[in-house]
Amino acid sequence: MSLDSSPGGARKGRGAPSNPAGRFETRTAERVDDGWGSLDEELPPLETTVRPEKARSVISRNQSPDIPFEQSINPYRGCEHGCVYCYARPSHAYLDLSPGLDFETRLFYKPNAAERLAAELSRPGYVCKPITLGANTDPYQPVEKRLRVTRSIVEVLQRFRHPVTIVTKGALVERDVDLLAPMAADGLAAAFLSITTLDNALKRTLEPRAAAPAARLRALAALSEAGVPTGVLVAPIIPAVNDGEIEAILEQAAAAGAVTAGYTLLRLPYEVKDLFEQWLRAHLPLRAEHVLNLIREMRDGKLNDPRFGDRMHGRGRYAELIAQRFRLARRRYGLDRREMLALDRTRFRVPTAQMGLWD
C-alpha cells in the first residue's frame, strides 16, 4: 500500500512529487489533516532501502522493432537516480509498489546475477548476441558503488568474451574501465552516456541523484581515452524544457570523444503522465501548459503514444523539427560514426578449467 498520494508527498532530493498507488494495488491511503497541522509540517527525508531478490534468470529478450538490441540485463529493480520522467517507473506496480517515490527509494538487487548469467551463457543452445546493460533501470546508480552487481556481470561477460553495450547516466561506469578497455580492444564493449541537460539547476530537480552533467562528460572522456567506443544519448528530449540544448550537448560530447549520438522523445506511459505533470506545475508552473500542449502535438493529441515507430521520436511538425536539428548537429560534430560501436560475436566461448590456464 502506497502513502503520500498527493503532491504534498514530495521530498527534498527526490524526483517524484508524490507516491501514487500502483495500478494493481487493491488498497490506497492518503494524508488527511487531523487538526494538528500535520499537513503543514516539512516531511522528513526518505531513506533508500535495498533488498535482495534472487533471480531465476537474468537475460531478458526483446522483440520490439524500434529498440536496437535483442538481449538485456537489469541488475536492479527501481532506480535511485530519481529521474521524474523515467519510463521504467510503472514496472514497480508489478511489485505492489508505487511508480512514484517507491520506485526511487525501495530498490531490489540480484545478488546471484553473475552466477545465473554464467549458467545461461553456458547452455549448449545459447546463441551469442550483444547484451545491453541499462535498458530499463540504470546499472550504475549510486547503490552499485557498494553492491557491485553490475561489475560482477561485466566480469562474467569478459570471461566469456561476450559483447556488451552499456547505457547509463552514472559516472560510476568509469570505475570499470579496467574491464571495459581490454574488452573494447577485442571489439566486445561500447558505452553510451545519457545526458539530458547541461544545466545543473534543471538536473537537480529533473534527475536529482544522477551524476552531474560535467561528471558524465568526464566519464565519457575517460572511457574514450581508454579505447572504449562511446556514444551520447540525449534522452529524453522534452519540448520547451531541454530541447534548446541539443546542439550544445552534442558539441560537448564530441569534444569528450563520443563517435555517435542518438535521442528519444519524452515518453509518459501509465502513471508517469501524472507524475511528470505534477513536476512541471511545481518547478516550471509558467511553462507547464505550453510543454504539455507541445507533447500532445507530437503524440496525436495525447500525452503518450505507445505505437512502435512513433513512441521514440513522435510525429508532427515539432517532432520533425527536432529530428532535423538533431541530424544536422550530429553531422556537424562528427557523431555519425555508429559503425565504430559494432561488436564482435565471434569471440564468444564458454570457458573451461583447461582454457583458464591460458587466460
Side-chain angles (χ1 to χ4, degrees):
M1 180 173 63
S2 302
L3 300 174
D4 295 329
S5 58
S6 70
R11 298 295 209 280
K12 184 177 181 180
R14 298 296 182 177
S18 63
N19 205 40
R23 60 193 181 283
F24 303 122
E25 291 189 50
T26 57
R27 295 184 299 158
T28 61
E30 63 182 53
R31 301 170 70 236
V32 177
D33 191 348
D34 59 3
W36 293 89
S38 59
L39 289 184
D40 298 325
E41 295 176 358
E42 184 176 347
L43 294 170
L46 273 177
E47 299 296 328
T48 299
T49 63
V50 188
R51 295 181 180 178
E53 180 185 59
K54 282 201 169 183
R56 289 179 291 182
S57 63
V58 292
I59 301 177
S60 300
R61 269 76 184 188
N62 165 65
Q63 295 181 333
S64 302
D66 53 0
I67 295 179
F69 57 84
E70 295 181 55
Q71 300 193 132
S72 63
I73 297 175
N74 292 295
Y76 301 97
R77 285 182 188 257
C79 186
E80 197 176 4
H81 282 164
C83 305
V84 70
Y85 52 74
C86 182
Y87 62 81
R89 283 182 177 274
S91 63
H92 244 44
Y94 293 103
L95 303 174
D96 279 339
L97 294 172
S98 172
L101 290 166
D102 283 351
F103 178 79
E104 54 196 275
T105 61
R106 300 177 68 174
L107 312 180
F108 300 84
Y109 72 99
K110 300 172 183 177
N112 63 334
E115 172 192 336
R116 294 310 311 150
L117 175 60
E120 291 176 54
L121 298 183
S122 298
R123 289 174 182 165
Y126 178 76
V127 177
C128 177
K129 298 177 182 178
I131 285 175
T132 294
L133 295 179
N136 203 40
T137 56
D138 202 303
Y140 287 100
Q141 56 182 287
V143 292
E144 166 61 18
K145 186 174 183 178
R146 173 170 58 91
L147 296 175
R148 300 169 73 87
V149 180
T150 298
R151 183 173 175 89
S152 70
I153 290 170
V154 176
E155 287 171 340
V156 171
L157 295 173
Q158 182 190 46
R159 194 164 72 248
F160 280 73
R161 298 177 185 172
H162 194 291
V164 62
T165 296
I166 291 170
V167 181
T168 182
K169 295 181 187 291
L172 184 60
V173 64
E174 187 179 344
R175 177 201 64 187
D176 292 343
V177 71
D178 62 316
L179 300 175
L180 297 172
M183 292 179 72
D186 289 332
L188 297 176
F192 282 86
L193 269 292
S194 177
I195 301 176
T196 316
T197 179
L198 299 173
D199 182 341
N200 285 314
L202 176 59
K203 176 263 165 199
R204 280 193 292 272
T205 61
L206 191 64
E207 39 191 40
R209 299 200 177 195
R216 290 182 230 182
L217 287 167
R218 286 195 297 270
L220 191 64
L223 291 169
S224 300
E225 290 169 8
V228 180
T230 58
V232 63
L233 295 175
V234 186
I237 291 177
I238 307 171
V241 176
N242 70 336
D243 57 344
E245 299 187 66
I246 292 172
E247 291 81 2
I249 292 172
L250 294 192
E251 181 180 15
Q252 293 203 30
V259 298
T260 189
Y263 79 94
T264 59
L265 191 66
L266 177 70
R267 294 165 56 194
L268 296 173
Y270 300 109
E271 297 92 340
V272 184
K273 291 191 290 294
D274 293 335
L275 289 169
F276 182 74
E277 183 171 350
Q278 287 176 11
W279 178 89
L280 270 178
R281 298 194 185 283
H283 296 285
L284 299 172
L286 300 181
R287 223 184 303 174
E289 285 302 328
H290 180 52
V291 173
L292 294 171
N293 286 336
L294 287 174
I295 293 171
R296 292 187 183 99
E297 180 184 324
M298 294 188 284
R299 299 295 191 191
D300 277 352
K302 298 172 288 187
L303 289 179
N304 190 57
D305 183 355
R307 290 176 295 181
F308 294 140
D310 291 328
R311 61 179 182 157
M312 298 299 183
H313 298 122
R315 58 169 61 190
R317 290 178 299 176
Y318 204 88
E320 291 169 3
L321 176 61
I322 288 175
Q324 184 178 22
R325 284 176 54 201
F326 198 90
R327 284 194 300 268
L328 290 172
R330 184 169 55 192
R331 188 180 312 135
R332 181 185 313 145
Y333 298 116
L335 291 168
D336 48 6
R337 296 173 287 162
R338 191 174 181 86
E339 70 281 356
M340 294 183 67
L341 274 73
L343 301 177
D344 187 352
R345 307 182 187 191
T346 66
R347 294 177 181 269
F348 173 77
R349 57 96 173 102
V350 177
T352 65
Q354 184 176 9
M355 292 179 72
L357 297 174
W358 305 100
D359 287 346

